[in-house]
Amino acid sequence: MRHSERWMKFFTVLLAFLLLVGWTTDAARAQDQPPQPPPQQQASPPPSYPPDQLDKLVSRVALYPDPLLAQVLAAATFPDQIADAAKWADEHHYLRGDELANAITEDHLPWDPSVQALLPFPNVLDTMASDLDWTQQLGNAFLAQKQDVMDAVQRMRQKAKDYGYLRSNSQIVVSGGPYITIDPVDPAFLYVPAYDPFIVFGPPRPGFFVGGAIGWGFGIGLGIGFRPWGWGYTRFDWGGHGVIIAGAPWGRTWYNRGVYAHSYGPGVRRWDPGRRAEGHALVRRDEGERRAAREGRARPEERHRR
């Protein structure tokens, strides 16, 4: 082999080696970086809602007990998952307590844990699924303007309290301030209020009985089996504008929404859609059960059995 050919072969091998080293370094560096959100998420600017629009957005849920409200706001940031979750909750409404908690785990559900946390509340998910435009706006506002959303909730609660609609009873404890909190009397049993925002956030008409404007008769038991999804460890830090879900600060924002994964309890995960399982009877609620939830009345006696 001639001298020039040997040098040419040497430089070819050296170039291939340098390219291999560079590719390996880039691959290792990429593995060290967190996954990036899709380009459209990186490019899209955050929305901006004025106070009056935020008041309207939160009015449907502002009087929910604090733990339920926090879970609703978190779940609203995944609006594309709400309709399917509402359907699952409706079809499995006959399951209660640990039996329901086990079903959520056994069915390998593909939704974010914040959405899974609302499965014991089919009427709440039904409300969110019936107006997905509102749900998406509520979630976007929570991602982009969390402090402003919390301030809006406080404004609406103050109105309902000043007009005499919001007050402590056998189901909830309403604080006196400086921030209005709504806590369940029994942390393991949450009542879902039913009310008309056009009534409870405005002055009552003469002779109107304010005590009947909010229905608190529909409750859901949440035992130890639901702890991994944050029930019992979820609250607001109203003064610090913080939201604590499952014992940890909720840190999902408009800018990290493509990569943020909140910390939940053991066994809670979002499964790949291909791993979806179903091992339970599918029984939809009848109209009497739906109406009771919408009107805040006690759950009617269950007529469905597997």
Side-chain angles (χ1 to χ4, degrees), residues 286-303:
D286 63 30
E287 185 53 36
E289 292 162 336
R290 295 174 189 275
R291 190 166 55 250
R294 289 194 298 266
E295 297 174 358
R297 294 185 287 105
R299 188 198 307 257
E301 183 179 351
E302 190 66 69
R303 294 193 297 273

Side-chain angles (χ1 to χ4, degrees), residues 95-137:
L95 298 175
R96 310 283 173 81
D98 289 346
E99 194 175 17
L100 176 58
N102 291 337
I104 294 173
T105 300
E106 293 166 356
D107 281 7
H108 295 177
L109 301 178
W111 313 308
D112 187 82
S114 63
V115 178
Q116 296 179 27
L118 292 181
L119 292 174
F121 301 88
N123 59 311
V124 173
L125 282 169
D126 187 57
T127 297
M128 299 173 74
S130 65
D131 191 347
L132 286 176
D133 182 62
W134 164 73
T135 299
Q136 183 169 11
Q137 289 189 64

Side-chain angles (χ1 to χ4, degrees), residues 45-130:
S48 179
Y49 298 95
D52 60 336
Q53 191 171 357
L54 289 175
D55 290 353
K56 184 177 180 180
L57 278 176
V58 305
S59 64
R60 300 186 194 181
V61 294
L63 303 187
Y64 281 14
D66 284 17
L68 179 58
L69 175 61
Q71 298 276 25
V72 166
L73 292 174
T77 67
F78 296 92
D80 58 314
Q81 302 175 18
I82 296 297
D84 289 339
K87 183 173 182 292
W88 190 97
D90 195 68
E91 294 173 338
H92 296 76
H93 72 283
Y94 62 90
L95 298 175
R96 310 283 173 81
D98 289 346
E99 194 175 17
L100 176 58
N102 291 337
I104 294 173
T105 300
E106 293 166 356
D107 281 7
H108 295 177
L109 301 178
W111 313 308
D112 187 82
S114 63
V115 178
Q116 296 179 27
L118 292 181
L119 292 174
F121 301 88
N123 59 311
V124 173
L125 282 169
D126 187 57
T127 297
M128 299 173 74
S130 65

Side-chain angles (χ1 to χ4, degrees), residues 257-301:
R257 66 195 190 281
V259 298
Y260 179 81
H262 192 67
S263 176
Y264 286 86
V268 175
R269 60 176 295 185
R270 176 179 174 177
W271 290 84
D272 183 271
R275 299 290 300 279
R276 177 78 166 81
E278 182 58 76
H280 311 87
L282 305 182
V283 183
R284 286 186 172 274
R285 292 179 294 169
D286 63 30
E287 185 53 36
E289 292 162 336
R290 295 174 189 275
R291 190 166 55 250
R294 289 194 298 266
E295 297 174 358
R297 294 185 287 105
R299 188 198 307 257
E301 183 179 351

Side-chain angles (χ1 to χ4, degrees), residues 46-49 139-146 148 253-254:
S48 179
Y49 298 95
N140 286 345
F142 188 54
L143 289 172
Q145 300 171 256
K146 181 180 68 176
D148 296 335
T253 70
W254 181 262

